[in-house]
Amino acid sequence: MKLEKSKLKENTTIQISGSKSISNRLLILESLFANIKIGNLSNSQDTQLLKKALSENTEIVDIHHAGTAMRFLTSYYSIQDGKTTILTGSKRMKERPIKNLVTALQNLGVEIEYLENEGFPPLKIIGRKITETKVDVPANISSQFITSLLLIAGKLENGLEINLVGEVTSRSYIEMTLDILTKFGIKNSFIGNIIKVESTINHQLSTINYEVESDWSSASYFYSFVALGRKTIHLKSFYKESTQGDSAIAKIYEEFFGIKTTFKEEEHQLKLEPIEGFEFPEKIVLDMNNCPDIAQTLCVTASALKIPFEISGLGTLRVKETDRLLALHNELKKLGTETEFTDLTIKSINFNEPEENISIKTYQDHRMAMSFAPFCLIKELNIEDENVVEKSYPMFWEDLKIILVK
């Protein structure tokens, strides 16, 4: 897709669909407990794939690129007593590690077999009733592994106690899950590194209506547009007291890029507004351990403004849809930004002029496509394989037509 050099319109309004993270959690809980009515469900491909898998009674379940679905369904099928499920996905999915989650479930007594490579999908899962009550899990793994266990915990006969061993990564996503469980009426606690979830077997949960907040990860791209275009954008269906870790984007972009976020609570709307006369920092130094999914957006914004950056806390990015740190390193070079990276960090080391004909590879990663799109306010560029946005934000390119003018 060719993105011509554009300008940002003033005072446009965008409606973003429900958070993928929240929607996927709710779909698992809805299937397990049947006491929920969901509004503003995400229209992302990941969510639709998970919804389809939960509605079908087949032995082989193929979730393609949907990493969240792979992780959540691994635990979900583990407690379907007597049911055998083969859980598989795309070539990239078969390269994404799942051993820590499988080991935890095996330690709880579930029979799970790797069908190809040790530690990776596809999996053969034989469901059973779990009566064990405690399990140790490394704390520095993907929070989705931990959430996967938490979502089934209330359905276990004796509940579940998870001991997180080490320093916790992406704590905000774990707290989001626990907040949702609380709203469901599932009692839980998170003290120190110990998470406890009580069983619901002996009490009836009341039915609730859950309106899904819009996705803060998707909102991040519009923060980038406002930071570069210095015009106001309004985003609908957001809440001031959000449990989404990526809501940190509001504070980050105010501090480093001068974008003020105003909440209109009665309208559930955000106003993203550039601060007049804002002076950009000499350097951005930031630990994004609790919000790694918005790191790509920030790096592109900083590159476009030629602000040196040093971002840490990015250990999970190397095992996402692609190796995101390597992908960033490669593609930022086309914008004129030279970087160096480790397993946990990425930092700029020099700024040059952008290439003449910029063509951004997306590496089958939705966030690569969307995080680089705001650079069209600086220079024309091409986004390869633009359809990857369907994974999380199918309407992204249509929404850009609302905010941009050539």
Side-chain angles (χ1 to χ4, degrees):
M1 171 175 284
K2 181 181 178 181
L3 294 179
E4 295 183 16
K5 185 178 179 183
S6 305
K7 294 181 180 178
L8 203 57
K9 296 178 188 176
E10 182 65 78
N11 269 320
T12 52
T13 300
I14 298 294
Q15 169 74 60
I16 298 174
S17 83
S19 160
K20 178 165 69 81
S21 296
I22 295 175
S23 294
N24 291 348
R25 286 160 170 78
L26 294 177
L27 285 175
I28 294 289
L29 292 171
E30 178 189 43
S31 186
L32 289 174
F33 297 98
N35 71 320
I36 182 171
K37 295 177 181 177
I38 307 172
N40 196 34
L41 189 74
S42 170
N43 61 2
S44 68
Q45 186 181 65
D46 274 18
T47 297
Q48 299 309 311
L49 283 167
L50 178 57
K51 186 176 181 180
K52 181 173 181 287
L54 290 168
S55 67
E56 294 178 345
N57 186 26
T58 57
E59 182 174 336
I60 299 176
V61 178
D62 185 348
I63 51 74
H64 305 284
H65 296 306
T68 307
M70 170 61 72
R71 291 156 181 167
F72 290 2
L73 289 173
T74 297
S75 295
Y76 175 84
Y77 289 126
S78 292
I79 62 169
Q80 305 306 309
D81 191 23
K83 177 178 171 59
T84 298
T85 305
I86 293 172
L87 189 55
T88 188
S90 65
K91 181 178 181 292
R92 173 59 182 165
M93 187 58 61
K94 294 178 181 181
E95 297 170 347
R96 297 181 70 177
I98 199 165
K99 187 171 185 177
N100 285 304
L101 175 57
V102 169
T103 298
L105 289 164
Q106 288 171 333
N107 289 340
L108 289 170
V110 180
E111 187 177 338
I112 304 180
E113 177 186 348
Y114 298 111
L115 295 181
E116 293 181 12
N117 296 315
E118 179 80 13
F120 299 87
L123 307 173
K124 181 179 179 181
I125 305 167
I126 300 176
R128 56 153 292 183
K129 287 184 179 179
I130 294 176
T131 56
E132 291 80 357
T133 60
K134 296 183 180 181
V135 68
D136 291 345
V137 178
N140 63 347
I141 58 173
S142 168
S143 62
Q144 290 182 7
F145 290 175
I146 299 161
T147 284
S148 179
L149 296 169
L150 294 175
L151 292 175
I152 65 167
K155 204 70 175 175
L156 308 186
E157 289 188 10
N158 302 306
L160 186 62
E161 179 180 311
I162 301 175
N163 176 33
L164 300 177
V165 182
E167 184 180 353
V168 180
T169 299
S170 300
R171 187 182 187 97
S172 60
Y173 284 99
I174 299 171
E175 291 173 342
M176 175 205 292
T177 304
L178 295 175
D179 178 72
I180 293 171
L181 294 183
T182 299
K183 288 173 179 172
F184 260 70
I186 302 172
K187 295 180 180 179
N188 62 81
S189 63
F190 190 1
I191 301 172
N193 276 35
I194 304 292
I195 308 174
K196 294 182 180 179
V197 179
E198 294 186 14
S199 173
T200 63
I201 296 295
N202 295 320
H203 69 272
Q204 183 69 33
L205 299 176
S206 57
T207 299
I208 65 168
N209 295 308
Y210 201 114
E211 192 72 16
V212 182
E213 181 187 19
S214 291
D215 188 60
W216 274 94
S217 304
S218 298
S220 72
Y221 313 119
F222 295 98
Y223 276 89
S224 187
F225 273 108
V226 175
L228 301 182
R230 313 311 290 181
K231 297 285 176 66
T232 299
I233 290 178
H234 305 265
L235 303 176
K236 296 173 71 174
S237 298
F238 287 89
Y239 303 97
K240 189 172 184 177
E241 303 303 325
S242 176
T243 59
Q244 295 181 57
D246 289 340
S247 62
I249 194 77
K251 182 178 179 182
I252 290 170
Y253 268 63
E254 180 164 0
E255 179 179 354
F256 296 114
F257 302 117
I259 304 306
K260 181 182 178 182
T261 302
T262 304
F263 292 86
K264 298 181 181 179
E265 294 196 41
E266 68 282 359
E267 300 171 27
H268 301 307
Q269 191 172 118
L270 305 179
K271 180 183 180 183
L272 317 186
E273 184 178 21
I275 297 171
E276 192 173 339
F278 179 80
E279 293 186 10
F280 293 109
E282 292 184 4
K283 186 176 183 180
I284 298 170
V285 179
L286 191 60
D287 182 344
M288 300 186 76
N289 180 59
N290 281 323
C291 52
D293 282 345
I294 56 178
Q296 289 150 290
T297 309
L298 182 137
C299 289
V300 172
T301 309
S303 294
L305 295 168
K306 291 184 165 54
I307 302 173
F309 57 87
E310 186 171 342
I311 313 300
S312 59
L314 305 180
T316 61
L317 292 193
R318 305 207 72 175
V319 290
K320 294 285 188 175
E321 284 77 357
T322 186
D323 179 340
R324 285 181 174 165
L325 292 179
L326 176 60
L328 266 176
H329 171 78
N330 292 340
E331 303 310 303
L332 286 175
K333 191 179 298 183
K334 298 173 183 177
L335 309 189
T337 302
E338 295 179 31
T339 61
E340 59 184 28
F341 65 98
T342 68
D343 284 343
L344 302 173
T345 66
I346 187 168
K347 69 176 181 178
S348 61
I349 54 176
N350 199 22
F351 294 109
N352 305 305
E353 286 302 306
E355 293 182 359
E356 273 309 305
N357 297 303
I358 301 173
S359 188
I360 301 299
K361 287 182 65 177
T362 52
Y363 305 85
Q364 297 184 318
D365 184 352
H366 54 130
R367 299 204 190 283
M368 288 299 292
M370 293 183 285
S371 62
F372 277 80
F375 197 78
C376 73
L377 297 179
I378 308 298
K379 190 178 176 68
E380 178 184 291
L381 73 160
N382 182 60
I383 302 291
E384 300 176 18
D385 191 18
E386 71 275 12
N387 292 330
V388 291
V389 302
E390 292 178 3
K391 180 177 175 64
S392 64
Y393 192 169
M395 295 301 295
F396 181 71
W397 304 120
E398 291 301 312
D399 285 347
L400 290 201
K401 293 176 183 177
I402 297 173
I403 67 168
L404 298 177
V405 61
K406 297 181 178 63

